[in-house]
Amino acid sequence: MRSLVSENAVRRLPKYLRALKHLEESGAVRVSSAELGKLVGMTPSQIRQDLSSFGEFGIQGYGYNVTDLSQQIEIIMGTDRGHRAILVGCGGLGRSLIQNFSFEEQGVQLVAAFDMCEDLIGTKMNGVPVYSAKTLPEFLSCHEIDMAVLAVPKRSAKSVANQLIEYGIRAFWNFTNEDVISPYSDILVENVHFSDSLLSLSYYMAEKTDYETRMLHRMNKIAVVS
Amino acid sequence: MRSLVSENAVRRLPKYLRALKHLEESGAVRVSSAELGKLVGMTPSQIRQDLSSFGEFGIQGYGYNVTDLSQQIEIIMGTDRGHRAILVGCGGLGRSLIQNFSFEEQGVQLVAAFDMCEDLIGTKMNGVPVYSAKTLPEFLSCHEIDMAVLAVPKRSAKSVANQLIEYGIRAFWNFTNEDVISPYSDILVENVHFSDSLLSLSYYMAEKTDYETRMLHRMNKIAVVS
DNA sequence: TAGATTGTTAATCGATTAACAATC
DNA sequence: TAGATTGTTAATCGATTAACAATC
């Protein structure tokens, strides 16, 4: 199942959406691809190309209606699908997701959380009930769940994911910093690998430092020569 | 300052590194680009291309030494640079980063955290002292800090980031789900936008559902026809 | 109507893949 | 030496940008 639109385009839509919501808040009614482009740091062409791969949302000579486009993008992203999620692993990160991240804002319903820790079982976090991980198969057999948020420790990431797949889960939002699924599987996995992200930042910091150091040396040489 | 290597390549390195560490754990001494490729779901060509943009790490007819390559990638990613970081915002997510995420493993030293909440100030979290946000300018003027981890609420994201820039911060690891810096600035920002990530997953789930529904209809038609 | 801006086609650019000579 | 696999050059493919006719 090869997607019809480029992954790059899909991943740029949320950025457009954020800019549009800010525009909406600031009272803007219309926006051109040129304006939006300046806002998000992309070319007008790219924005028009990206949008046109999902439909026609603009009006010639006018631009885009901010509210309309914003809503259209939300629909494209599936926020109206009523996706239902469970969260597995109520450690520090899991807890902070339940308590601080607004799943509803992205159109996702977080219906339950699961953990091994006896102390947590039976409690509610931000309105979300916490059940024993042992009851997962039972729970999943009688509830329609579309997605699992994986927030278990690295070491159990793969085994938990595989179990969940057995119980019928077909999509993961994965916070374990581990690759949990074979790259050839058709299970959807969206990784939020903090460690990869920090490493990339670290790389660019190092690159920048090296570049600045080189520049400095070059300038010193020039100073000496002249 | 245009980077010399493609961003895609940079962002694939952490994935290679993870696979290599697993190989190392499992006792593997050598690995070919073909093997590594199968492991991470990429072509051998791509792996060789990516690596060759940073240097020559392999041996013809042999492949790569697992430990060597692993260490080389770590050096490329700057884990030996001793980058020093502060974390700003000790709410749920900030706290869970301090307590659960291993900065050291990525070669980053988390030297202090800052918050507004009186109750937290003066305490230590996982060995990291928590100071008052008011003391930030003073702290930054007498400590060499390379990076700020932004874990403040969305609404204060931009203002906090701008202040930190005034105080000399030039790199951000941004968890606020907000774009904090103009796309034309030369400040480094690595965004970890949970909301963008979840939206992308939601999109692919919706796309998959639509695709499967179409397939089902097609099969029904065939069934009726035949 | 004239001006603006879209959606889309064509041109360019960059990234991925394939091929192969070099060499362990 | 023969076989394997790299690093790199060339070919292909896809993504971005530019241009422009359509049209609000």
Side-chain angles (χ1 to χ4, degrees):
Chain A
M1 180 216 179
R2 224 29 212 75
S3 179
L4 308 109
V5 288
S6 90
E7 174 158 357
N8 291 354
V10 172
R11 292 190 180 276
R12 277 190 294 263
L13 288 192
K15 196 173 177 93
Y16 301 159
L17 185 57
R18 260 180 293 128
L20 287 165
K21 288 198 168 164
H22 276 127
L23 281 170
E24 209 175 1
E25 268 175 44
S26 74
V29 173
R30 49 167 285 200
V31 68
S32 68
S33 57
E35 287 164 347
L36 188 55
K38 201 165 275 181
L39 234 47
V40 297
M42 286 164 202
T43 63
S45 270
Q46 180 156 73
I47 289 175
R48 293 205 301 278
Q49 279 281 22
D50 283 353
L51 294 177
S52 80
S53 61
F54 296 101
E56 303 192 4
F57 307 114
I59 302 158
Q60 275 108 330
Y62 175 85
Y64 302 88
N65 176 290
V66 173
T67 308
D68 277 5
L69 184 56
S70 170
Q71 284 173 356
Q72 289 298 329
I73 293 181
E74 284 185 333
I75 291 171
I76 294 166
M77 299 312 277
T79 59
D80 60 341
R81 302 285 178 125
H83 287 138
R84 291 160 58 85
I86 57 166
L87 185 148
V88 186
C90 302
L93 179 65
R95 209 175 1 238
S96 102
L97 281 169
I98 297 174
Q99 279 165 347
N100 304 296
F101 182 74
S102 174
F103 284 84
E104 304 81 43
E105 224 170 86
Q106 326 300 325
V108 174
Q109 224 181 310
L110 183 59
V111 298
F114 293 85
D115 203 285
M116 308 273 275
C117 171
E118 288 296 334
D119 299 350
L120 297 174
I121 293 163
T123 66
K124 283 203 174 196
M125 291 179 175
N126 195 16
V128 179
V130 182
Y131 301 126
S132 163
K134 288 178 197 148
T135 67
L136 258 170
E138 195 200 326
F139 183 92
L140 289 173
S141 68
C142 53
H143 294 80
E144 275 279 348
I145 299 295
D146 309 294
M147 175 200 311
V149 184
L150 264 194
V152 298
K154 223 186 229 189
R155 63 179 176 285
S156 45
K158 272 204 165 91
S159 72
V160 171
N162 283 327
Q163 280 182 298
L164 288 167
I165 290 171
E166 261 182 49
Y167 306 151
I169 294 291
R170 288 289 168 271
F172 290 93
W173 197 21
N174 176 28
F175 287 84
T176 64
N177 288 304
E178 269 282 296
D179 290 326
V180 289
I181 299 293
S182 149
Y184 308 101
S185 144
D186 74 329
I187 304 285
L188 288 174
V189 181
E190 170 73 18
N191 293 311
V192 186
H193 288 322
F194 291 179
S195 49
D196 288 20
S197 171
L198 182 55
L199 279 183
S200 301
L201 178 57
S202 171
Y203 169 82
Y204 284 111
M205 289 168 68
E207 194 191 52
K208 201 179 174 198
T209 304
D210 291 348
Y211 175 81
E212 285 167 356
T213 308
R214 271 200 309 281
M215 285 301 110
L216 212 65
H217 281 180
R218 196 170 300 176
M219 283 169 74
N220 283 343
K221 272 186 199 152
I222 292 168
V224 170
V225 167
S226 60
Chain B
M1 183 218 177
R2 220 35 211 74
S3 179
L4 308 110
V5 287
S6 92
E7 174 158 357
N8 291 355
V10 172
R11 293 190 178 277
R12 277 189 295 264
L13 288 193
K15 199 175 175 89
Y16 301 158
L17 185 57
R18 257 179 296 129
L20 287 164
K21 287 197 170 165
H22 276 127
L23 281 169
E24 209 175 1
E25 268 174 45
S26 74
V29 174
R30 51 167 284 201
V31 67
S32 69
S33 56
E35 288 163 347
L36 188 54
K38 200 165 274 182
L39 233 47
V40 296
M42 286 163 203
T43 62
S45 272
Q46 179 156 74
I47 289 175
R48 293 205 302 277
Q49 278 282 21
D50 283 353
L51 294 177
S52 78
S53 60
F54 297 101
E56 305 193 1
F57 307 113
I59 302 158
Q60 276 107 328
Y62 175 86
Y64 302 88
N65 177 291
V66 172
T67 308
D68 276 4
L69 185 55
S70 171
Q71 284 173 354
Q72 289 298 327
I73 293 181
E74 284 184 334
I75 292 171
I76 294 166
M77 299 312 278
T79 59
D80 61 340
R81 301 288 178 123
H83 287 139
R84 291 160 58 85
I86 57 165
L87 185 147
V88 185
C90 301
L93 179 66
R95 210 177 356 239
S96 102
L97 281 170
I98 297 174
Q99 279 166 346
N100 303 296
F101 183 74
S102 174
F103 284 84
E104 305 79 46
E105 222 170 89
Q106 325 300 326
V108 174
Q109 223 181 314
L110 183 59
V111 298
F114 294 85
D115 203 287
M116 308 272 276
C117 172
E118 288 296 334
D119 298 352
L120 297 173
I121 293 163
T123 67
K124 283 204 173 194
M125 291 179 173
N126 195 17
V128 179
V130 182
Y131 301 125
S132 164
K134 289 178 195 148
T135 67
L136 259 170
E138 194 200 326
F139 184 91
L140 289 174
S141 70
C142 54
H143 294 81
E144 275 279 349
I145 299 296
D146 309 294
M147 174 200 314
V149 184
L150 264 193
V152 298
K154 224 186 228 187
R155 61 180 177 285
S156 45
K158 272 204 166 90
S159 71
V160 170
N162 284 326
Q163 281 182 297
L164 288 168
I165 291 171
E166 262 182 49
Y167 305 153
I169 295 290
R170 288 289 168 271
F172 290 93
W173 198 20
N174 175 28
F175 286 85
T176 65
N177 288 303
E178 271 279 295
D179 290 325
V180 289
I181 298 294
S182 150
Y184 308 102
S185 142
D186 74 328
I187 304 287
L188 288 174
V189 181
E190 171 73 18
N191 292 310
V192 187
H193 288 323
F194 291 179
S195 49
D196 288 20
S197 170
L198 182 55
L199 279 183
S200 301
L201 178 57
S202 171
Y203 169 83
Y204 283 111
M205 289 167 70
E207 193 192 53
K208 201 180 174 197
T209 304
D210 292 350
Y211 175 82
E212 284 167 356
T213 308
R214 273 200 309 282
M215 285 301 108
L216 214 63
H217 281 178
R218 195 170 301 176
M219 282 169 74
N220 283 343
K221 273 187 200 152
I222 291 168
V224 170
V225 168
S226 60

